[in-house]
């Protein structure tokens, strides 16, 4: 994150550069996305689709987190230009909802997919989480975070879950966990020497999924083992990397850039009707 001014003093050159840069980057990425992803599929009239029962909601958690961090980036960019705290939180905080909303419009006109009210609701939740905290506290005390590990489920349906390691990291929802990570000091002990970087996190994941709604028995003529699909809930300590004290601007930028990652840590896991302790949860 770029350092933000302590006072509201708009720098018109910075502000113009931010608006121009975000417009060009956003429009360019949408054009590229359409060309690479949608152009080869047949188009249709705008329509909706109910996909709330796909991937046990893990994809919706991903929508919320993406919207949250795009809003955070939009806010920090506008504050860097000197725009007021309130206006930056409102206009910058809406960046994720606006951008992902444009993607939903593409989906809505594609015969292959459809605009998802569930996706829009998830985008709204991520945007609301950022904006409510920034407007109310001027601080992000509850973060959305992500962790990931590779699973064997991708080997049964590479088209949907990925074949290469980068594809599996992005597409295999069996290996994704999304976290609400709350900063203990800012919420409970602001006037003490309690570690300001220590968080407590609640996570959500799922396993056993070789298809979006149900597990197929055959894929390309090959039998697929039938796994039990179930959700997982976690409780674990966490580190808010953005609150680690440092005098180095480079380290500060690095910690902010990777602050969305949940640090592997011991965790309690509840799933498949059992409670267990994991030495490390990714």
């Amino acid at each position: 994150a770029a350092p933000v001014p302590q006072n509201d003093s708009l720098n018109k050159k910075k502000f113009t550069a931010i608006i121009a840069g975000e417009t060009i980057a956003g429009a360019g990425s949408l054009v590229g996305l359409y060309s690479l992803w949608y152009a080869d599929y047949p188009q249709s009239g705008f329509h909706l689709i109910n996909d709330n029962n796909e991937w046990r909601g893990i994809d919706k958690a991903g929508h919320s987190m993406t919207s949250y961090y795009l809003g955070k980036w939009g806010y920090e960019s506008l504050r860097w230009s000197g725009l007021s705290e309130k206006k930056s939180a409102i206009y910058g905080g809406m960046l994720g909802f606006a951008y992902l909303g444009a993607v939903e419009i593409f989906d809505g006109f594609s015969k292959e997919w459809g605009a998802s009210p569930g996706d829009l609701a998830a985008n709204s939740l991520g945007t609301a989480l950022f904006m409510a905290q920034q407007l109310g506290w001027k601080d992000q005390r509850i973060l959305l975070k992500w962790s990931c590990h590779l699973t064997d489920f991708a080997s049964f349906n590479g088209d949907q879950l990925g074949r290469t390691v980068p594809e599996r990291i992005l597409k295999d929802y069996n290996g994704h966990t999304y976290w609400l990570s709350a900063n203990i000091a800012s919420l409970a002990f602001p006037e003490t020497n309690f570690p300001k970087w220590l968080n407590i996190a609640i996570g959500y994941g799922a396993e056993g999924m070789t298809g979006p709604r149900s597990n197929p028995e055959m894929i390309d003529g090959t039998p697929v083992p039938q796994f039990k699909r179930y959700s997982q809930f976690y409780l674990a300590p966490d580190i808010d990397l953005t609150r680690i004290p440092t005098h180095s601007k480079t380290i500060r930028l690095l910690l902010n850039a990777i602050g969305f990652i949940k640090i592997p840590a011991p965790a309690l896991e509840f799933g498949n009707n059992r409670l267990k302790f994991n030495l490390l949860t990714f």
Side-chain angles (χ1 to χ4, degrees), residues 165-181:
V165 169
E167 286 181 345
R168 291 166 66 187
I169 289 174
L170 290 173
K171 298 170 68 174
D172 184 5
Y173 292 121
N174 296 283
H176 290 200
T177 305
Y178 291 91
W179 303 80
L180 275 175
S181 181

PDB file of all heavy atoms in Angstrom, residues 165-181:
ATOM      1  N   VAL A 165       0.341 -26.550 -11.720  1.00  0.00           N
ATOM      2  CA  VAL A 165       0.301 -26.035 -10.350  1.00  0.00           C
ATOM      3  C   VAL A 165      -0.385 -24.661 -10.277  1.00  0.00           C
ATOM      4  O   VAL A 165      -1.246 -24.451  -9.429  1.00  0.00           O
ATOM      5  CB  VAL A 165       1.715 -25.989  -9.740  1.00  0.00           C
ATOM      6  CG1 VAL A 165       1.717 -25.211  -8.421  1.00  0.00           C
ATOM      7  CG2 VAL A 165       2.237 -27.405  -9.511  1.00  0.00           C
ATOM      8  N   PRO A 166      -0.037 -23.696 -11.144  1.00  0.00           N
ATOM      9  CA  PRO A 166      -0.746 -22.407 -11.085  1.00  0.00           C
ATOM     10  C   PRO A 166      -2.257 -22.549 -11.292  1.00  0.00           C
ATOM     11  O   PRO A 166      -3.048 -21.888 -10.611  1.00  0.00           O
ATOM     12  CB  PRO A 166      -0.106 -21.593 -12.207  1.00  0.00           C
ATOM     13  CG  PRO A 166       1.257 -22.182 -12.383  1.00  0.00           C
ATOM     14  CD  PRO A 166       1.074 -23.649 -12.132  1.00  0.00           C
ATOM     15  N   GLU A 167      -2.667 -23.421 -12.228  1.00  0.00           N
ATOM     16  CA  GLU A 167      -4.095 -23.639 -12.455  1.00  0.00           C
ATOM     17  C   GLU A 167      -4.752 -24.240 -11.224  1.00  0.00           C
ATOM     18  O   GLU A 167      -5.854 -23.832 -10.840  1.00  0.00           O
ATOM     19  CB  GLU A 167      -4.313 -24.563 -13.661  1.00  0.00           C
ATOM     20  CG  GLU A 167      -4.069 -23.909 -15.007  1.00  0.00           C
ATOM     21  CD  GLU A 167      -4.330 -24.881 -16.147  1.00  0.00           C
ATOM     22  OE1 GLU A 167      -4.410 -26.103 -15.883  1.00  0.00           O
ATOM     23  OE2 GLU A 167      -4.452 -24.422 -17.295  1.00  0.00           O
ATOM     24  N   ARG A 168      -4.116 -25.188 -10.589  1.00  0.00           N
ATOM     25  CA  ARG A 168      -4.687 -25.843  -9.409  1.00  0.00           C
ATOM     26  C   ARG A 168      -4.807 -24.867  -8.243  1.00  0.00           C
ATOM     27  O   ARG A 168      -5.776 -24.911  -7.485  1.00  0.00           O
ATOM     28  CB  ARG A 168      -3.852 -27.056  -9.024  1.00  0.00           C
ATOM     29  CG  ARG A 168      -3.951 -28.199 -10.029  1.00  0.00           C
ATOM     30  CD  ARG A 168      -2.873 -29.234  -9.807  1.00  0.00           C
ATOM     31  NE  ARG A 168      -3.042 -29.931  -8.528  1.00  0.00           N
ATOM     32  CZ  ARG A 168      -2.160 -30.786  -8.045  1.00  0.00           C
ATOM     33  NH1 ARG A 168      -1.041 -31.044  -8.730  1.00  0.00           N
ATOM     34  NH2 ARG A 168      -2.382 -31.384  -6.887  1.00  0.00           N
ATOM     35  N   ILE A 169      -3.816 -23.990  -8.099  1.00  0.00           N
ATOM     36  CA  ILE A 169      -3.882 -22.988  -7.037  1.00  0.00           C
ATOM     37  C   ILE A 169      -5.093 -22.079  -7.243  1.00  0.00           C
ATOM     38  O   ILE A 169      -5.781 -21.714  -6.279  1.00  0.00           O
ATOM     39  CB  ILE A 169      -2.580 -22.166  -7.006  1.00  0.00           C
ATOM     40  CG1 ILE A 169      -1.435 -23.033  -6.467  1.00  0.00           C
ATOM     41  CG2 ILE A 169      -2.745 -20.911  -6.149  1.00  0.00           C
ATOM     42  CD1 ILE A 169      -0.082 -22.376  -6.533  1.00  0.00           C
ATOM     43  N   LEU A 170      -5.385 -21.739  -8.481  1.00  0.00           N
ATOM     44  CA  LEU A 170      -6.499 -20.841  -8.772  1.00  0.00           C
ATOM     45  C   LEU A 170      -7.851 -21.549  -8.794  1.00  0.00           C
ATOM     46  O   LEU A 170      -8.859 -20.992  -8.355  1.00  0.00           O
ATOM     47  CB  LEU A 170      -6.279 -20.142 -10.117  1.00  0.00           C
ATOM     48  CG  LEU A 170      -5.166 -19.092 -10.185  1.00  0.00           C
ATOM     49  CD1 LEU A 170      -4.967 -18.639 -11.618  1.00  0.00           C
ATOM     50  CD2 LEU A 170      -5.481 -17.912  -9.285  1.00  0.00           C
ATOM     51  N   LYS A 171      -7.889 -22.788  -9.289  1.00  0.00           N
ATOM     52  CA  LYS A 171      -9.168 -23.405  -9.640  1.00  0.00           C
ATOM     53  C   LYS A 171      -9.621 -24.529  -8.715  1.00  0.00           C
ATOM     54  O   LYS A 171     -10.811 -24.859  -8.692  1.00  0.00           O
ATOM     55  CB  LYS A 171      -9.103 -23.937 -11.084  1.00  0.00           C
ATOM     56  CG  LYS A 171      -8.869 -22.846 -12.118  1.00  0.00           C
ATOM     57  CD  LYS A 171      -8.563 -23.418 -13.497  1.00  0.00           C
ATOM     58  CE  LYS A 171      -9.746 -24.116 -14.119  1.00  0.00           C
ATOM     59  NZ  LYS A 171      -9.466 -24.541 -15.519  1.00  0.00           N
ATOM     60  N   ASP A 172      -8.703 -25.144  -7.971  1.00  0.00           N
ATOM     61  CA  ASP A 172      -9.097 -26.275  -7.124  1.00  0.00           C
ATOM     62  C   ASP A 172      -9.634 -25.750  -5.794  1.00  0.00           C
ATOM     63  O   ASP A 172      -8.881 -25.502  -4.844  1.00  0.00           O
ATOM     64  CB  ASP A 172      -7.915 -27.209  -6.891  1.00  0.00           C
ATOM     65  CG  ASP A 172      -8.308 -28.442  -6.086  1.00  0.00           C
ATOM     66  OD1 ASP A 172      -9.521 -28.598  -5.797  1.00  0.00           O
ATOM     67  OD2 ASP A 172      -7.412 -29.229  -5.734  1.00  0.00           O
ATOM     68  N   TYR A 173     -10.957 -25.624  -5.701  1.00  0.00           N
ATOM     69  CA  TYR A 173     -11.575 -25.088  -4.493  1.00  0.00           C
ATOM     70  C   TYR A 173     -11.417 -26.003  -3.290  1.00  0.00           C
ATOM     71  O   TYR A 173     -11.601 -25.567  -2.151  1.00  0.00           O
ATOM     72  CB  TYR A 173     -13.066 -24.817  -4.751  1.00  0.00           C
ATOM     73  CG  TYR A 173     -13.318 -23.685  -5.717  1.00  0.00           C
ATOM     74  CD1 TYR A 173     -14.034 -23.897  -6.888  1.00  0.00           C
ATOM     75  CD2 TYR A 173     -12.847 -22.410  -5.454  1.00  0.00           C
ATOM     76  CE1 TYR A 173     -14.266 -22.859  -7.774  1.00  0.00           C
ATOM     77  CE2 TYR A 173     -13.075 -21.367  -6.339  1.00  0.00           C
ATOM     78  CZ  TYR A 173     -13.789 -21.597  -7.497  1.00  0.00           C
ATOM     79  OH  TYR A 173     -14.013 -20.567  -8.379  1.00  0.00           O
ATOM     80  N   ASN A 174     -11.073 -27.271  -3.522  1.00  0.00           N
ATOM     81  CA  ASN A 174     -10.823 -28.171  -2.397  1.00  0.00           C
ATOM     82  C   ASN A 174      -9.644 -27.693  -1.546  1.00  0.00           C
ATOM     83  O   ASN A 174      -9.578 -28.008  -0.354  1.00  0.00           O
ATOM     84  CB  ASN A 174     -10.519 -29.584  -2.907  1.00  0.00           C
ATOM     85  CG  ASN A 174     -11.685 -30.206  -3.632  1.00  0.00           C
ATOM     86  OD1 ASN A 174     -12.638 -30.669  -3.013  1.00  0.00           O
ATOM     87  ND2 ASN A 174     -11.626 -30.209  -4.963  1.00  0.00           N
ATOM     88  N   GLY A 175      -8.722 -26.982  -2.156  1.00  0.00           N
ATOM     89  CA  GLY A 175      -7.539 -26.529  -1.444  1.00  0.00           C
ATOM     90  C   GLY A 175      -7.618 -25.108  -0.936  1.00  0.00           C
ATOM     91  O   GLY A 175      -6.666 -24.608  -0.330  1.00  0.00           O
ATOM     92  N   HIS A 176      -8.748 -24.421  -1.156  1.00  0.00           N
ATOM     93  CA  HIS A 176      -8.893 -23.034  -0.724  1.00  0.00           C
ATOM     94  C   HIS A 176      -9.517 -22.959   0.664  1.00  0.00           C
ATOM     95  O   HIS A 176     -10.466 -23.685   0.972  1.00  0.00           O
ATOM     96  CB  HIS A 176      -9.799 -22.262  -1.687  1.00  0.00           C
ATOM     97  CG  HIS A 176      -9.188 -22.011  -3.020  1.00  0.00           C
ATOM     98  ND1 HIS A 176      -9.631 -21.032  -3.871  1.00  0.00           N
ATOM     99  CD2 HIS A 176      -8.152 -22.612  -3.671  1.00  0.00           C
ATOM    100  CE1 HIS A 176      -8.908 -21.039  -4.973  1.00  0.00           C
ATOM    101  NE2 HIS A 176      -8.007 -22.001  -4.871  1.00  0.00           N
ATOM    102  N   THR A 177      -9.004 -22.072   1.491  1.00  0.00           N
ATOM    103  CA  THR A 177      -9.650 -21.723   2.754  1.00  0.00           C
ATOM    104  C   THR A 177      -9.712 -20.205   2.841  1.00  0.00           C
ATOM    105  O   THR A 177      -8.719 -19.527   2.551  1.00  0.00           O
ATOM    106  CB  THR A 177      -8.882 -22.267   3.968  1.00  0.00           C
ATOM    107  OG1 THR A 177      -8.714 -23.689   3.826  1.00  0.00           O
ATOM    108  CG2 THR A 177      -9.639 -21.992   5.259  1.00  0.00           C
ATOM    109  N   TYR A 178     -10.876 -19.690   3.207  1.00  0.00           N
ATOM    110  CA  TYR A 178     -11.074 -18.246   3.351  1.00  0.00           C
ATOM    111  C   TYR A 178     -11.319 -17.938   4.821  1.00  0.00           C
ATOM    112  O   TYR A 178     -12.027 -18.672   5.515  1.00  0.00           O
ATOM    113  CB  TYR A 178     -12.225 -17.772   2.471  1.00  0.00           C
ATOM    114  CG  TYR A 178     -11.883 -17.860   1.003  1.00  0.00           C
ATOM    115  CD1 TYR A 178     -12.175 -19.008   0.262  1.00  0.00           C
ATOM    116  CD2 TYR A 178     -11.221 -16.820   0.364  1.00  0.00           C
ATOM    117  CE1 TYR A 178     -11.818 -19.110  -1.070  1.00  0.00           C
ATOM    118  CE2 TYR A 178     -10.863 -16.909  -0.977  1.00  0.00           C
ATOM    119  CZ  TYR A 178     -11.162 -18.053  -1.688  1.00  0.00           C
ATOM    120  OH  TYR A 178     -10.795 -18.149  -3.009  1.00  0.00           O
ATOM    121  N   TRP A 179     -10.723 -16.833   5.262  1.00  0.00           N
ATOM    122  CA  TRP A 179     -10.677 -16.527   6.690  1.00  0.00           C
ATOM    123  C   TRP A 179     -11.194 -15.129   6.992  1.00  0.00           C
ATOM    124  O   TRP A 179     -10.946 -14.191   6.237  1.00  0.00           O
ATOM    125  CB  TRP A 179      -9.234 -16.596   7.193  1.00  0.00           C
ATOM    126  CG  TRP A 179      -8.535 -17.889   6.958  1.00  0.00           C
ATOM    127  CD1 TRP A 179      -7.951 -18.318   5.790  1.00  0.00           C
ATOM    128  CD2 TRP A 179      -8.323 -18.947   7.906  1.00  0.00           C
ATOM    129  NE1 TRP A 179      -7.387 -19.558   5.952  1.00  0.00           N
ATOM    130  CE2 TRP A 179      -7.604 -19.965   7.251  1.00  0.00           C
ATOM    131  CE3 TRP A 179      -8.658 -19.105   9.250  1.00  0.00           C
ATOM    132  CZ2 TRP A 179      -7.223 -21.144   7.885  1.00  0.00           C
ATOM    133  CZ3 TRP A 179      -8.276 -20.277   9.891  1.00  0.00           C
ATOM    134  CH2 TRP A 179      -7.570 -21.281   9.215  1.00  0.00           C
ATOM    135  N   LEU A 180     -11.890 -15.008   8.108  1.00  0.00           N
ATOM    136  CA  LEU A 180     -12.145 -13.714   8.738  1.00  0.00           C
ATOM    137  C   LEU A 180     -11.147 -13.595   9.875  1.00  0.00           C
ATOM    138  O   LEU A 180     -11.195 -14.364  10.840  1.00  0.00           O
ATOM    139  CB  LEU A 180     -13.573 -13.628   9.280  1.00  0.00           C
ATOM    140  CG  LEU A 180     -14.675 -13.209   8.313  1.00  0.00           C
ATOM    141  CD1 LEU A 180     -16.037 -13.300   9.001  1.00  0.00           C
ATOM    142  CD2 LEU A 180     -14.458 -11.780   7.797  1.00  0.00           C
ATOM    143  N   SER A 181     -10.213 -12.660   9.724  1.00  0.00           N
ATOM    144  CA  SER A 181      -9.105 -12.540  10.666  1.00  0.00           C
ATOM    145  C   SER A 181      -9.243 -11.233  11.441  1.00  0.00           C
ATOM    146  O   SER A 181      -9.117 -10.146  10.879  1.00  0.00           O
ATOM    147  CB  SER A 181      -7.773 -12.571   9.900  1.00  0.00           C
ATOM    148  OG  SER A 181      -6.678 -12.490  10.784  1.00  0.00           O
TER     149      SER A 181
END
